[in-house]
Amino acid sequence: FNNYLIYVLTKLTSENEPTRSLSGLILKNNIRIHGAQLQPAILEYIKQECLRALSDPSPLIRATAGILITTIANTGGLTNWPELLPTLCDMLDSQDYIVCEGAFGALQKICEDSANTLDSSELNRPLNVMIPKFLQFFRHSSPSIRSYAIACINQFIVNRTQALMVHIDTFIENLFHISSDDDREVRKNVCRGLVMLLEVRMDRLMPHMNNIIEYMLVQTQDSDETSLNACEFWLSLAEQNICKEVLTPHLPRLVPVLVRGMKYSDIDIMVLKGDVEEDEMIPDREEDIKPRFHKSRTVTQKPASGAGGSDGTVRSMDGNDDDDDIDDPYVDMNDDSNPSDWNLRKCSAATLDVLANVYKDEFLPILLPILKETLFHEEWLVKESGILALGAIAEGCMTGMVPHLPELIPYLIVCLSDKKALVRSITCWTLSRYAHWVVSQPHDQYLKPLMKELLKRILDANKRVQEAACSAFATLEEEACTELVPYLGFILDTLVFAFRKYQHKNLLILYDAIGTLADSVGHHLNKPEYISMLMPPLIEKWNNLKDEDKDLFPLLECLSSVATALHSGFLPYSEPVYRRCISLIQQTLIQDVASTTNPTQFEQPDKDFMIVALDLLSGLAEGLDCYIES
């Protein structure tokens, strides 16, 4: 069957290209999963046919062959295919453009997947030959070849590979030579290379820094993916010690570019369905729901801006508290289509945030006129980007913003009722960034109206707004703590009603908001009328979820906080919760023993389940003031 698949890919030219390519992709999966069981003669035949297919007239077939070659190299190891790299390097010298391009496509994939292996003595350090060879192609007549050559070398910058470091001046010189290339893919790879060099060889870039900054200012305003790669330069530069020294003269030109980059593009609006205002009845797609990881109930230090989660993490703009994104609330902001998709908008916002932390209030003379223009703009897309910018600078420029907040906070509270869902959702996030200041003022002035409007948005007809409001309210809960006690009945009314309203994804955010409320008000929650409101929906979810259901995880975390807050008020619910926690811990331990004894048959268990179950037991013990016997 594998012989048949390689035949269809490489020899059955009467078939259409997508079918031939599909055959190669099926073969790739077979090799990835069953490569070790393939007969050596068959594998050898596949290898030879793949190398021949790199000269196929079809770019799709050449690309598929390159993927197959990389898969074989990754599965069996480059040491088991010693002739591969010399053969590909020889093909680069072919007078036939198609052969050269096909070989470069395969080499780029190998460099991307095996950067560390290529620098090993086990392979006789092939990079000593490959990198000088790649450098020769920076001035090739084909933009595709030039792009491949840069992309290959870029893979070795971050690791400071010695074979590249000895040629670093030649590499930088060649990058500068093609920096104004007509081809966007070439310029994109030039930008990527310069961003990585900024982190590892700043000393070599410093003499040229003014010219690089001018170049990046132009590229950041490009209309395609080049702009994102150029924008990452500013984010990286903002984190360097020399930022102020080299960037200050250019700030008046850079800041407007960054704010413009924060505006949604037409494609963003299409992907995000930004013109859909009411979608609460549409079921969530399972692939849009991110996995959650355990966070301790112990509240540590909060970020000064008040933008933190209960465990000290920074809540991103879609409400997720990702440990990997602890200092980056922009990774997941407002993108239900692909929450991990990094784009120009997010990069621009993150850069503005870091620059605000570098320059502090010195940043405001440049930024305030831009904010005044965008925040009150008639076009909602411009206004939305201004609100995002206002949130981005909250931490770095808080002191300088205080005189302006008495005017801005009421305006933002009004924006929570904007007719556009994307404006309402970003306003929730921006207000959460100023929650610390809001709580420090007289309650009737800002806290009470903000709380009232956020609770309305928690019940919004748009799922993205629900999510942003729930997350913002959790931040407000952390900042206000017991200041919320007079409003507990009103708050619980809203949160409990949301149980009946929310789809799958936002239900997980709701658990976080309830758990945070319990952490914030503590024993004040232990009143019969509050318990009768809160516990029935929580226990109903608890009873309906199976032990293996991942949704049980955030519910366990929520109940852990609730149990601690309710003390003896949790007693009627403690026995079934206790028994299930013990059961979850036992199951995990049994799985752990099984996977240790027989790792090929049993997978490692998810020990986070056991940790959070133990956390809940701790909450029971603490709340009920009793001993739990094993």
Side-chain angles (χ1 to χ4, degrees):
F1 181 56
N2 291 303
N3 281 346
Y4 164 77
L5 291 172
I6 193 66
Y7 176 82
V8 172
L9 173 68
T10 62
K11 288 190 164 57
L12 198 61
T13 54
S14 59
E15 190 56 77
N16 64 54
E17 290 177 12
T19 300
R20 292 172 63 195
S21 177
L22 178 60
S23 180
L25 295 175
I26 295 170
L27 178 57
K28 178 206 74 169
N29 287 332
N30 285 355
I31 290 171
R32 185 173 54 83
I33 299 167
H34 307 294
Q37 285 81 48
L38 275 179
Q39 295 175 29
I42 292 175
L43 189 59
E44 193 60 35
Y45 173 65
I46 292 171
K47 287 178 180 178
Q48 295 309 314
E49 289 302 306
C50 283
L51 287 170
R52 288 194 189 97
L54 290 177
S55 58
D56 193 281
S58 163
L60 178 61
I61 301 306
R62 294 198 298 274
T64 307
I67 291 170
L68 256 174
I69 287 168
T70 311
T71 303
I72 295 169
N74 287 343
T75 304
L78 285 166
T79 51
N80 292 323
W81 197 352
E83 68 275 16
L84 174 62
L85 294 176
T87 302
L88 291 175
C89 286
D90 287 343
M91 291 172 73
L92 294 182
D93 295 325
S94 172
Q95 296 302 305
D96 185 342
Y97 163 77
I98 287 177
V99 174
C100 178
E101 196 263 357
F104 244 131
L107 280 166
Q108 184 193 357
K109 294 178 181 71
I110 291 169
C111 291
E112 191 175 329
D113 292 348
S114 308
N116 291 328
T117 308
L118 289 171
D119 195 35
S120 66
S121 55
E122 193 178 7
L123 290 174
N124 295 320
R125 302 201 183 279
L127 289 182
N128 291 336
V129 174
M130 291 166 66
I131 283 181
K133 191 153 193 92
F134 294 154
L135 285 168
Q136 295 171 13
F137 289 89
F138 273 47
R139 307 191 185 204
H140 194 276
S141 58
S142 162
S144 180
I145 299 297
R146 296 197 297 273
S147 183
Y148 275 135
I150 309 167
C152 285
I153 292 187
N154 280 351
Q155 303 300 324
F156 307 103
I157 297 175
V158 173
N159 291 339
R160 305 172 195 265
T161 305
Q162 184 59 28
L164 173 58
M165 290 301 110
V166 298
H167 296 283
I168 195 68
D169 291 328
T170 307
F171 173 53
I172 292 173
E173 180 186 336
N174 279 314
L175 275 185
F176 288 163
H177 178 78
I178 58 173
S179 60
S180 299
D181 200 283
D182 291 337
D183 186 81
R184 283 177 169 171
E185 194 67 24
V186 172
R187 296 200 307 274
K188 183 175 77 175
N189 282 317
V190 168
C191 290
R192 282 179 179 167
L194 289 172
V195 170
M196 289 185 280
L197 284 168
L198 197 61
E199 297 177 11
V200 301
R201 291 310 303 260
M202 174 71 77
D203 58 319
R204 289 296 198 269
L205 295 187
M206 277 301 289
H208 314 281
M209 189 57 72
N210 269 329
N211 289 334
I212 294 172
I213 286 173
E214 291 291 338
Y215 173 71
M216 289 298 185
L217 273 168
V218 173
Q219 297 306 316
T220 307
Q221 298 174 75
D222 204 317
S223 58
D224 72 345
E225 197 181 340
T226 308
S227 57
L228 172 58
N229 289 277
C231 191
E232 287 177 342
F233 173 84
W234 310 116
L235 185 56
S236 181
L237 182 61
E239 294 167 344
Q240 307 292 329
N241 292 331
I242 52 91
C243 174
K244 271 194 168 185
E245 176 189 342
V246 301
L247 196 56
T248 299
H250 306 276
L251 271 185
R253 293 167 60 206
L254 172 61
V255 173
V257 170
L258 291 175
V259 175
R260 282 198 299 273
M262 291 156 65
K263 180 182 167 184
Y264 278 121
S265 68
D266 293 340
I267 294 175
D268 290 335
I269 299 298
M270 288 171 58
V271 171
L272 291 172
K273 299 181 177 65
D275 55 344
V276 177
E277 293 301 317
E278 296 187 7
D279 63 354
E280 63 179 345
M281 301 305 294
I282 301 172
D284 295 330
R285 299 182 307 168
E286 291 304 305
E287 58 266 31
D288 291 336
I289 300 170
K290 295 180 66 176
R292 292 175 65 87
F293 304 95
H294 179 54
K295 52 185 184 179
S296 170
R297 286 188 302 115
T298 306
V299 179
T300 55
Q301 185 178 359
K302 295 176 185 172
S305 66
S310 61
D311 58 344
T313 60
V314 177
R315 279 196 178 83
S316 66
M317 299 185 63
D318 70 350
N320 289 319
D321 295 335
D322 236 343
D323 288 348
D324 292 340
D325 306 331
I326 194 164
D327 294 316
D328 191 353
Y330 306 100
V331 171
D332 303 316
M333 65 182 187
N334 281 352
D335 190 350
D336 287 348
S337 60
N338 184 354
S340 61
D341 189 24
W342 182 243
N343 59 27
L344 177 63
R345 168 182 163 85
K346 300 172 187 180
C347 187
S348 299
T351 304
L352 200 70
D353 189 334
V354 179
L355 287 173
N357 276 283
V358 170
Y359 285 93
K360 303 294 183 185
D361 295 343
E362 298 172 39
F363 205 43
L364 292 179
I366 297 170
L367 189 61
L368 282 175
I370 299 171
L371 283 178
K372 185 176 180 180
E373 182 183 338
T374 54
L375 279 171
F376 304 100
H377 202 280
E378 290 182 2
E379 185 186 347
W380 75 267
L381 283 168
V382 177
K383 179 168 78 170
E384 194 276 347
S385 68
I387 295 171
L388 169 56
L390 181 61
I393 65 164
E395 184 177 351
C397 301
M398 180 61 78
T399 304
M401 286 304 298
V402 165
H404 306 280
L405 293 181
E407 177 189 358
L408 289 174
I409 296 300
Y411 173 71
L412 290 175
I413 292 174
V414 171
C415 289
L416 286 173
S417 302
D418 193 275
K419 64 180 181 180
K420 283 292 181 182
L422 289 176
V423 173
R424 299 197 299 275
S425 64
I426 199 64
T427 304
C428 289
W429 178 78
T430 293
L431 279 164
S432 76
R433 301 275 281 180
Y434 292 95
H436 183 74
W437 182 85
V438 167
V439 171
S440 70
Q441 306 303 304
H443 289 190
D444 289 342
Q445 198 165 0
Y446 303 111
L447 175 60
K448 196 172 177 181
L450 174 57
M451 181 183 64
K452 183 179 176 182
E453 289 303 315
L454 275 180
L455 288 171
K456 285 182 185 177
R457 297 286 67 82
I458 284 175
L459 301 180
D460 199 276
N462 182 275
K463 290 192 289 186
R464 184 179 289 107
V465 178
Q466 293 172 1
E467 183 179 19
C470 230
S471 178
F473 195 75
T475 300
L476 189 65
E477 289 169 341
E478 290 166 353
E479 292 295 343
C481 293
T482 53
E483 305 288 342
L484 296 178
V485 171
Y487 315 107
L488 268 177
F490 184 41
I491 293 169
L492 288 173
D493 260 339
T494 302
L495 298 181
V496 168
F497 188 82
F499 268 107
R500 303 197 296 271
K501 192 176 178 72
Y502 278 13
Q503 296 287 346
H504 186 185
K505 182 182 178 184
N506 286 350
L507 201 57
L508 308 184
I509 311 293
L510 182 60
Y511 292 148
D512 179 57
I514 291 172
T516 305
L517 179 66
D519 290 336
S520 299
V521 301
H523 68 88
H524 296 284
L525 203 58
N526 186 17
K527 289 188 176 180
E529 62 269 30
Y530 298 155
I531 296 170
S532 64
M533 293 169 68
L534 180 59
M535 288 309 299
L538 286 176
I539 292 300
E540 182 184 356
K541 297 292 182 186
W542 170 266
N543 290 333
N544 289 340
L545 292 174
K546 296 179 180 178
D547 284 356
E548 60 274 13
D549 196 317
K550 293 294 182 185
D551 285 5
L552 187 61
F553 192 79
L555 180 54
L556 275 166
E557 289 187 320
C558 175
L559 282 173
S560 177
S561 295
V562 171
T564 304
L566 293 186
H567 289 268
S568 57
F570 199 80
L571 185 59
Y573 311 97
S574 61
E575 186 175 349
V577 171
Y578 165 82
R579 292 191 183 282
R580 191 169 192 180
C581 286
I582 294 296
S583 174
L584 287 168
I585 293 166
Q586 287 175 332
Q587 289 174 42
T588 306
L589 291 172
I590 290 167
Q591 283 180 298
D592 192 35
V593 171
S595 64
T596 304
T597 309
N598 194 347
T600 57
Q601 188 174 350
F602 298 100
E603 291 184 5
Q604 279 281 336
D606 182 355
K607 292 186 181 177
D608 269 352
F609 253 123
M610 184 171 77
I611 294 168
V612 76
L614 284 166
D615 213 9
L616 179 45
L617 288 178
S618 169
L620 286 174
E622 186 180 334
L624 300 173
D625 195 26
C626 65
Y627 294 98
I628 296 181
E629 298 179 1
S630 62

